[in-house]
C-alpha cells in the first residue's frame, strides 16, 4: 500500500482538517472514473465498475488509447480541443441501448473523465418559468433569511428532494440552518447549529472549487480505481475535480446516522468566500444528472449574486448612516482643540457611529469612557496586556475566549472592536458590545465527537441529531463589514486632524523661532557693536597708564594694568567673533564658483603661518576641486578650520597639517587634518555650539570659531563633522552641495 493512500489514514480530532479526501482512490457506484495521460490520451487508471456498467473488460482498457475505449467521435473531440487549448465540454454517447455522458476535467498531467448515465434533463420551459418567478421573489424579499427560504423552495420544487436546507457558516465555520423546505413527516432542523468539524476544511475547499456535489446512494459500494497508484507519477492521483469520486467514510457514516439515502450539495460563494451551502437530502437513493446539477449550480450562482446585492445594499445603507455621524464628529474635532473632548462630550459621541453599548478612548495614558464599559483600570490593563500585540485593528465577538480577564466584565464587553490612532503606541479608540444571552440549539451535542484509544481521541461521525440546547455565555453580536468600514474611516479622519494640528503647531512654533532668532542676531550684532566704544575707552586709558605713569606704579598696579590691556584685547577679539557669527545669520548668500585651493592659500597667508608656525608642515592637494558658495562665508569657514589646525598642533614635535578631498556618493568631501592634541569623541557635537570649548587653557580661543564654521555650512545646506582621538589629532570634514567639477 503506498504512502499517503486514504485507506491508511486514521483521522483524529487533531488532523481531521487534513483528511486527504482529494485522493480517495475509489468511485461511486453509479458511474465510471477514467484517468488518462494528458500527453498520449491513453487510459492509465480506471474504476473497476467499468465491467459492470460498460460490459468492457478492465484489463483491455488499461493502457489502451482513449479512441479505442470511447466512441471515436467523442475521443477525437477531446483530443482536438486539448490540442487547440479549447474548453472541454461533456459529450454524450451510447453503449448498447444505454446513453452516457462523459464529463471531462483536467488535474495536473491527467485528463479525468466522469462517465455516468445521461439521465433526464429538466423541462427548459418550466425551468425558465420557475427561474423568472424566483428572481422576482428574490428581488421582493425583505431580508437575507427570506431570500434563503425562497431559494430553498425553488430547489425543492425543481429537484424534489425530501429536505432542502440553506446552511450558513459563521466566522468560526460553525453552521446554522437558516432556511428549510421539507416533506411534512420530517422533523424540522430549521435554526439548528452544527460545529465546524461536521464540514472540515478539505471539504469546504473542494466545494469552493467544484461548486456542486452529488451522492446518489449513501449506501453505495465503492468501486476501487485500478491501479491504486498512478503508473505515470508513482503517487495516488488527485481526483478532486471528479464529481464521481467516492466519499469520505466518515461523511458516509454521518449521513447514514442522519437517515439520509442520497444528497446534493451546492456551494454559495459570496465575494470570493464560502458563505454557505444548499444541502439537499433524500431518504432513498436518488440520481440527478449532470445538466440538472449544473442547473442547480446556476441557481445557486443567481442566488449568490442576489445575496451579494442585498448585502451590498445593506452595507451602503449602514455606511451612509455612519458617514452622517462621522461628518458631525469631524466638524466637532476641527472646531474643538481637544480631540478626546470633541469625541466624548458632545452630541454625537464616537460610540454613536456603531451599534454598541459603550466605548473608550485611551490617549497619553489616560482612559476616557462613554456609555456602558468596563472600569478604567480594566481597560488600561486590557490595552497594556492584550491589545498591544493585536495590530492596528482588532475585533472579536468573544473577548473572554482570547483574554480570560474579560470574563469579569463580559456583561458589558463580550464584543470588542479597537483601533490604534495617534503617534503613541498606547493610543486606542475602542467600542464594546454587551453579552448577547441566548440559547443555541445544536443538532446533537457538539462536544461529543470522538473516542479515546491509546491516549488519542479519534473522530467518529455524529450518531445523535436530537436537538441539544446550549446556553451561550460571553458572546456578543458579531461585528459586520460596515462596522469595520465605519471605524476605519473615522480613524483616518482622526489621524488626519491630529497630523494637521501638529503641522499647524510646528509651523507656528517654527515661525516664532525664526522671528526670535532674527531678533537675537540683531540684538547680538547691536550689543557687540555698542560694546566697542566703552571697550576702547578702557583700553585707551589703560595704555595711558602704561605709557606715562608706569614708573610710578608699584608691582601690583603694573600687573593690574597689564591684565586690563590683555583682557581688553581678548574682549575685542570676542566682539569680532560675535559680529562675524551674527553676520553669517543675517547675510544673504551670494553664490559663485569658487577655487577652494585659492581660498586655502589665502587663509594660510592670512594666518602668517610661515612666521607664526615655522615648524609646521602644510600639505595641500593640488587637485582640490572647485565649489559653489558665498566667497566671504566659505573663506570664514576654511580660515577658522585652518586656524584651529595650526593652533592645536603647534605644540607637537613635528606638527603637520593636510588639506585634501575625496569622493563620496558623487559628492566632494573636503577635509583639514592635523596631528595635534585631539579631544574626547564624546564632545564631537558640543564643539560646534556657541562659546563651547573642550581644549585646555594652554590654547587661547573664544569658542566661537567652530560655531561660525557650522553656521556657514548649514547656511549652504551642507554638512560639517569631525573625527578625533585624544593625542592623535583631529580631522574636520565638510561637504558643500551644488559643487562643480
Amino acid at each position: 500500500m503506498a504512502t499517503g493512500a486514504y485507506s491508511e489514514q486514521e483521522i483524529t480530532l487533531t488532523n481531521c482538517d487534513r483528511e486527504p479526501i482529494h485522493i480517495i482512490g475509489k468511485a461511486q457506484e453509479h458511474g465510471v472514473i477514467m484517468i488518462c495521460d494528458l500527453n498520449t490520451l491513453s487510459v492509465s487508471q480506471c474504476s473497476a465498475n467499468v465491467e459492470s456498467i460498460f460490459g468492457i473488460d478492465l484489463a483491455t482498457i488499461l493502457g489502451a488509447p482513449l479512441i479505442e475505449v470511447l466512441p471515436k467521435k467523442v475521443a477525437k473531440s477531446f483530443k482536438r480541443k486539448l490540442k487547440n487549448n479549447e474548453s472541454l465540454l461533456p459529450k454524450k454517447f451510447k453503449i448498447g441501448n444505454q446513453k452516457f455522458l462523459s464529463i471531462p476535467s483536467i488535474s495536473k498531467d491527467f485528463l479525468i473523465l466522469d462517465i455516468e448515465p445521461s439521465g433526464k434533463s429538466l423541462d427548459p420551459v418550466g425551468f425558465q418559468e420557475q427561474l423568472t418567478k424566483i428572481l422576482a421573489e428574490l428581488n421582493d424579499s425583505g431580508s437575507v433569511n427570506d431570500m434563503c427560504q425562497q431559494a430553498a423552495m425553488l430547489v425543492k420544487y425543481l429537484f424534489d428532494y425530501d429536505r432542502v436546507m440553506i446552511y450558513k457558516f459563521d466566522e468560526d465555520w460553525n453552521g446554522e440552518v437558516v432556511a428549510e423546505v421539507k416533506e411534512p413527516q420530517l422533523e424540522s432542523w430549521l435554526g439548528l447549529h452544527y460545529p465546524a468539524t461536521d464540514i472540515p476544511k478539505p471539504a469546504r475547499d473542494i466545494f469552493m472549487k467544484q461548486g456542486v456535489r452529488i451522492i446518489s446512494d449513501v449506501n453505495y459500494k465503492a468501486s476501487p480505481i485500478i491501479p491504486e497508484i498512478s503508473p505515470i507519477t508513482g503517487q495516488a492521483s488527485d481526483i478532486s475535480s471528479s464529481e464521481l469520486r467516492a466519499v469520505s467514510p466518515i461523511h458516509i457514516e454521518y449521513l447514514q446516522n442522519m437517515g439520509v439515502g442520497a444528497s446534493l450539495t451546492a456551494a454559495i460563494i459570496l465575494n470570493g468566500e464560502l458563505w454557505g451551502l444548499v444541502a439537499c437530502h433524500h431518504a432513498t437513493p436518488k440520481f440527478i444528472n449532470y445538466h440538472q446539477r449544473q442547473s442547480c449550480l446556476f441557481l445557486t450562482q443567481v442566488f449568490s449574486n442576489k445575496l451579494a446585492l442585498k448585502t451590498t445594499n445593506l452595507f451602503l445603507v449602514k455606511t451612509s448612516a455612519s458617514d452622517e455621524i462621522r461628518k458631525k464628529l469631524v466638524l466637532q474635532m476641527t472646531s474643538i482643540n481637544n480631540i478626546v473632548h470633541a469625541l466624548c462630550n458632545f452630541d454625537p459621541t464616537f460610540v454613536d457611529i456603531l451599534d454598541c453599548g459603550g466605548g473608550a478612548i485611551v490617549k497619553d495614558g489616560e482612559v476616557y469612557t462613554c456609555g456602558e464599559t468596563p472600569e478604567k483600570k480594566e481597560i488600561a490593563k486590557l490595552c497594556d496586556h492584550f491589545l498591544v500585540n493585536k495590530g492596528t485593528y482588532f475585533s472579536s465577538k468573544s473577548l473572554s475566549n482570547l483574554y480570560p480577564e474579560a470574563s469579569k466584565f463580559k456583561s458589558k464587553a463580550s464584543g470588542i472592536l479597537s483601533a490604534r490612532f495617534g503617534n503613541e503606541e498606547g493610543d486606542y479608540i475602542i467600542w464594546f458590545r454587551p453579552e448577547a444571552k441566548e440559547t443555541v440549539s445544536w443538532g446533537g451535542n457538539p462536544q461529543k465527537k470522538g473516542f479515546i484509544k491509546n491516549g488519542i481521541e479519534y473522530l467518529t461521525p455524529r450518531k445523535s441529531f436530537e436537538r441539544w440546547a446550549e446556553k451561550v455565555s460571553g458572546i456578543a453580536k458579531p461585528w459586520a463589514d460596515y462596522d469595520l468600514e465605519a471605524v476605519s474611516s473615522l480613524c483616518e479622519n482622526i489621524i488626519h486632524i491630529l497630523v494637521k494640528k501638529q503641522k499647524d503647531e510646528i509651523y507656528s512654533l517654527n515661525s516664532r523661532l525664526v522671528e526670535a532668532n532674527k531678533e537675537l542676531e540683531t540684538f547680538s550684532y547691536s550689543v557687540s557693536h555698542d560694546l566697542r566704544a566703552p571697550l576702547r575707552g578702557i583700553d585707551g586709558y589703560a595704555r595711558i597708564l602704561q605709557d606715562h605713569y608706569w614708573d610710578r606704579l608699584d608691582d601690583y598696579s603694573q600687573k593690574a594694568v597689564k591684565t586690563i590691556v590683555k583682557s581688553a584685547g581678548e574682549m575685542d577679539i570676542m566682539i569680532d567673533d560675535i559680529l562675524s557669527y551674527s553676520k553669517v545669520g543675517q547675510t544673504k548668500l551670494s553664490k559663485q564658483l569658487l577655487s577652494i585651493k585659492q581660498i586655502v592659500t589665502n587663509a594660510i597667508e592670512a594666518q602668517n603661518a610661515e612666521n607664526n608656525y615655522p615648524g609646521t608642515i602644510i600639505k595641500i592637494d593640488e587637485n582640490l576641486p572647485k565649489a559653489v558658495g558665498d566667497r566671504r562665508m566659505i573663506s570664514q569657514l576654511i580660515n577658522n578650520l585652518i586656524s584651529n589646525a595650526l593652533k592645536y598642533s603647534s605644540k607637537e614635535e613635528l606638527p603637520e597639517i593636510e588639506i585634501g578631498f575625496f569622493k563620496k556618493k558623487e559628492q566632494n568631501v573636503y577635509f583639514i587634518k592635523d596631528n595635534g592634541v585631539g579631544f574626547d569623541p564624546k564632545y564631537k557635537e558640543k564643539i560646534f555650539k556657541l562659546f563651547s570649548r573642550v581644549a585646555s587653557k594652554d590654547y587661547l580661543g573664544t569658542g566661537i570659531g567652530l560655531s561660525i564654521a557650522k553656521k556657514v555650512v548649514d547656511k549652504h545646506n551642507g554638512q560639517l563633522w569631525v573625527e578625533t582621538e585624544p593625542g592623535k589629532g583631529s580631522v574636520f570634514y565638510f561637504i558643500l552641495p551644488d559643487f562643480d567639477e
Side-chain angles (χ1 to χ4, degrees):
M1 192 75 71
T3 302
Y6 178 77
S7 55
E8 286 191 345
Q9 293 287 322
E10 284 190 288
I11 306 304
T12 71
L13 283 177
T14 57
N15 75 2
C16 64
D17 267 3
R18 297 191 297 275
E19 184 183 3
I21 59 177
H22 61 295
I23 57 171
I24 296 177
K26 296 178 181 179
Q28 293 190 52
E29 196 172 14
H30 67 272
V32 173
I33 297 178
M34 283 188 190
I35 302 175
C36 303
D37 185 335
L38 201 56
N39 296 315
T40 64
L41 282 190
S42 59
V43 180
S44 59
Q45 294 170 275
C46 184
S47 58
N49 59 354
V50 68
E51 297 184 18
S52 60
I53 293 179
F54 288 174
I56 303 174
D57 183 54
L58 177 62
T60 63
I61 290 178
L62 294 177
L66 188 62
I67 199 168
E68 295 179 6
V69 177
L70 296 183
K72 291 182 180 180
K73 185 177 180 180
V74 174
K76 285 182 177 180
S77 173
F78 289 146
K79 184 176 182 179
R80 184 181 68 255
K81 288 183 178 294
L82 286 170
K83 182 179 179 181
N84 297 330
N85 199 27
E86 297 176 14
S87 298
L88 298 175
L89 298 174
K91 289 291 180 180
K92 287 185 179 181
F93 65 91
K94 289 178 69 174
I95 295 181
N97 294 322
Q98 192 167 0
K99 294 179 180 179
F100 292 95
L101 187 69
S102 180
I103 307 162
S105 61
I106 295 176
S107 176
K108 296 181 180 177
D109 296 327
F110 298 104
L111 171 66
I112 298 177
L113 298 175
D114 285 350
I115 304 172
E116 63 178 40
S118 60
K120 294 182 180 180
S121 297
L122 292 172
D123 173 28
V125 175
F127 179 74
Q128 185 176 1
E129 289 175 351
Q130 288 301 319
L131 182 60
T132 302
K133 179 175 180 290
I134 194 63
L135 285 175
E137 291 175 347
L138 288 176
N139 286 331
D140 294 339
S141 298
S143 67
V144 170
N145 281 2
D146 289 341
M147 286 179 60
C148 292
Q149 190 65 26
Q150 293 292 343
M153 288 173 63
L154 177 62
V155 174
K156 176 76 168 71
Y157 174 82
L158 291 174
F159 304 112
D160 197 29
Y161 277 86
D162 291 338
R163 186 196 305 271
V164 176
M165 300 171 288
I166 305 293
Y167 185 87
K168 179 184 176 184
F169 293 111
D170 67 11
E171 62 268 31
D172 298 319
W173 297 109
N174 299 311
E176 178 186 0
V177 178
V178 295
E180 178 189 59
V181 182
K182 63 177 185 62
E183 293 300 314
Q185 72 274 14
L186 297 178
E187 178 188 2
S188 175
W189 290 347
L190 184 63
L192 291 185
H193 292 70
Y194 297 87
T197 49
D198 278 18
I199 305 177
K201 187 176 184 302
R204 298 196 300 267
D205 290 344
I206 289 181
F207 278 131
M208 277 286 291
K209 183 166 65 173
Q210 198 169 50
V212 66
R213 174 81 153 126
I214 185 177
I215 304 174
S216 61
D217 185 355
V218 167
N219 300 302
Y220 73 94
K221 182 179 179 182
S223 179
I225 292 177
I226 306 298
E228 181 182 4
I229 301 304
S230 168
I232 298 173
T233 65
Q235 298 177 343
S237 298
D238 181 350
I239 58 171
S240 56
S241 62
S242 167
E243 289 186 42
L244 272 174
R245 73 184 185 282
V247 186
S248 160
I250 293 174
H251 186 59
I252 287 295
E253 189 177 346
Y254 179 93
L255 292 174
Q256 288 172 337
N257 292 340
M258 294 177 81
V260 174
S263 71
L264 172 70
T265 310
I268 301 172
I269 298 171
L270 179 65
N271 300 324
E273 295 184 357
L274 189 62
W275 181 90
L277 301 171
V278 177
C280 307
H281 290 169
H282 208 65
T284 57
K286 182 179 179 67
F287 172 75
I288 66 170
N289 69 10
Y290 171 79
H291 294 295
Q292 288 177 304
R293 299 196 299 271
Q294 290 302 107
S295 298
C296 181
L297 181 60
F298 174 71
L299 283 173
T300 306
Q301 290 170 343
V302 170
F303 172 74
S304 296
N305 291 337
K306 292 295 181 181
L307 181 62
L309 183 61
K310 177 73 73 173
T311 55
T312 299
N313 288 339
L314 177 62
F315 180 90
L316 292 174
V317 168
K318 292 289 187 178
T319 302
S320 176
S322 66
D323 277 348
E324 290 301 313
I325 297 172
R326 182 172 57 83
K327 289 174 184 177
K328 294 178 182 178
L329 291 171
V330 169
L331 181 61
Q332 290 169 194
M333 287 188 286
T334 52
S335 305
I336 299 165
N337 190 45
N338 187 314
I339 279 189
V340 174
H341 187 53
L343 289 170
C344 294
N345 298 340
F346 290 84
D347 185 20
T349 68
F350 75 97
V351 296
D352 295 322
I353 205 167
L354 301 181
D355 175 17
C356 66
I361 296 177
V362 182
K363 184 83 170 69
D364 300 328
E366 293 292 324
V367 179
Y368 308 86
T369 60
C370 284
E372 291 292 316
T373 69
E375 298 293 327
K376 289 184 177 182
K377 61 182 180 181
E378 292 173 326
I379 295 172
K381 189 175 180 181
L382 171 69
C383 293
D384 293 341
H385 295 154
F386 181 73
L387 292 180
V388 68
N389 299 316
K390 296 301 176 185
T392 304
Y393 295 98
F394 173 75
S395 65
S396 173
K397 67 175 185 179
S398 182
L399 179 59
S400 59
N401 283 344
L402 304 171
Y403 178 63
E405 288 275 335
S407 59
K408 299 175 184 176
F409 47 80
K410 64 184 180 182
S411 62
K412 296 178 180 178
S414 284
I416 181 174
L417 174 53
S418 71
R420 288 184 179 176
F421 73 97
N423 297 325
E424 299 300 323
E425 281 284 323
D427 289 352
Y428 295 93
I429 183 165
I430 307 170
W431 290 263
F432 297 110
R433 274 183 177 164
E435 178 182 33
K437 294 182 179 179
E438 59 177 328
T439 299
V440 174
S441 296
W442 294 88
N445 186 341
Q447 307 302 324
K448 295 180 180 179
K449 290 293 293 177
F451 67 92
I452 305 296
K453 178 182 177 183
N454 298 326
I456 299 175
E457 190 172 8
Y458 286 88
L459 187 67
T460 58
R462 187 184 303 279
K463 289 182 170 58
S464 171
F465 292 88
E466 293 181 0
R467 190 176 294 265
W468 191 86
E470 178 186 33
K471 289 188 176 180
V472 174
S473 175
I475 297 178
K477 174 187 172 184
W479 304 100
D481 289 346
Y482 47 78
D483 294 322
L484 303 177
E485 179 68 21
V487 168
S488 175
S489 298
L490 178 61
C491 286
E492 286 180 11
N493 291 140
I494 293 172
I495 292 169
H496 176 76
I497 292 169
L498 284 173
V499 170
K500 186 178 184 303
K501 287 187 176 183
Q502 288 170 348
K503 284 176 66 177
D504 292 344
E505 289 173 4
I506 291 170
Y507 179 78
S508 175
L509 179 60
N510 187 59
S511 298
R512 294 199 300 270
L513 286 173
V514 169
E515 190 62 33
N517 192 50
K518 287 180 180 178
E519 292 176 0
L520 183 60
E521 288 176 346
T522 303
F523 175 75
S524 299
Y525 183 82
S526 175
V527 168
S528 300
H529 185 272
D530 293 345
L531 283 175
R532 285 194 182 279
L535 183 62
R536 284 172 184 156
I538 293 170
D539 181 65
Y541 281 108
R543 290 186 183 278
I544 289 172
L545 288 173
Q546 194 176 37
D547 293 342
H548 297 287
Y549 300 97
W550 189 258
D551 294 338
R552 302 181 193 180
L553 300 175
D554 57 26
D555 291 343
Y556 177 79
S557 299
Q558 287 180 351
K559 187 177 180 181
V561 170
K562 283 182 179 180
T563 301
I564 292 171
V565 172
K566 181 184 176 184
S567 297
E570 291 175 353
M571 184 71 171
D572 191 51
I573 293 171
M574 183 174 287
I575 289 172
D576 281 339
D577 287 346
I578 292 174
L579 285 171
S580 296
Y581 183 80
S582 299
K583 285 178 181 177
V584 170
Q586 293 178 326
T587 306
K588 290 185 178 180
L589 291 178
S590 176
K591 287 188 176 184
Q592 55 185 298
L593 186 62
L594 304 174
S595 170
I596 298 298
K597 183 183 177 185
Q598 187 59 52
I599 291 175
V600 167
T601 302
N602 293 344
I604 292 172
E605 289 177 358
Q607 296 287 334
N608 195 10
E610 188 175 347
N611 295 320
N612 293 335
Y613 304 95
T616 302
I617 298 171
I618 302 176
K619 298 178 181 179
I620 304 172
D621 191 326
E622 292 296 324
N623 299 312
L624 281 173
K626 294 180 179 181
V628 174
D630 184 288
R631 179 180 295 279
R632 187 181 61 80
M633 290 188 187
I634 300 302
S635 296
Q636 279 183 298
L637 163 68
I638 292 175
N639 192 69
N640 280 323
L641 294 180
I642 290 177
S643 172
N644 255 35
L646 289 168
K647 179 168 55 176
Y648 291 114
S649 64
S650 62
K651 298 184 186 298
E652 297 300 312
E653 186 176 346
L654 293 172
E656 185 176 303
I657 296 172
E658 181 184 355
I659 303 167
F661 82 103
F662 59 86
K663 287 279 190 182
K664 181 181 180 182
K665 294 182 179 178
E666 301 301 318
Q667 288 184 307
N668 290 324
V669 181
Y670 301 92
F671 66 84
I672 298 174
K673 179 180 180 182
D674 67 69
N675 64 342
V677 293
F679 58 90
D680 192 327
K682 70 180 181 182
Y683 298 120
K684 286 197 300 185
E685 301 297 329
K686 180 182 177 183
I687 61 166
F688 295 114
K689 294 181 179 178
L690 199 61
F691 303 119
S692 178
R693 300 188 72 233
V694 297
S696 67
K697 294 181 180 179
D698 296 337
Y699 299 93
L700 299 177
T702 61
I704 299 178
L706 288 177
S707 299
I708 293 173
K710 183 71 166 63
K711 199 162 190 178
V712 167
V713 172
D714 289 346
K715 191 91 172 178
H716 284 77
N717 294 320
Q719 299 173 53
L720 173 65
W721 71 98
V722 63
E723 298 296 336
T724 185
E725 195 174 336
K728 294 187 179 181
S730 302
V731 187
F732 283 84
Y733 303 90
F734 65 90
I735 297 173
L736 299 172
D738 301 326
F739 65 87
D740 189 276
E741 301 250 333

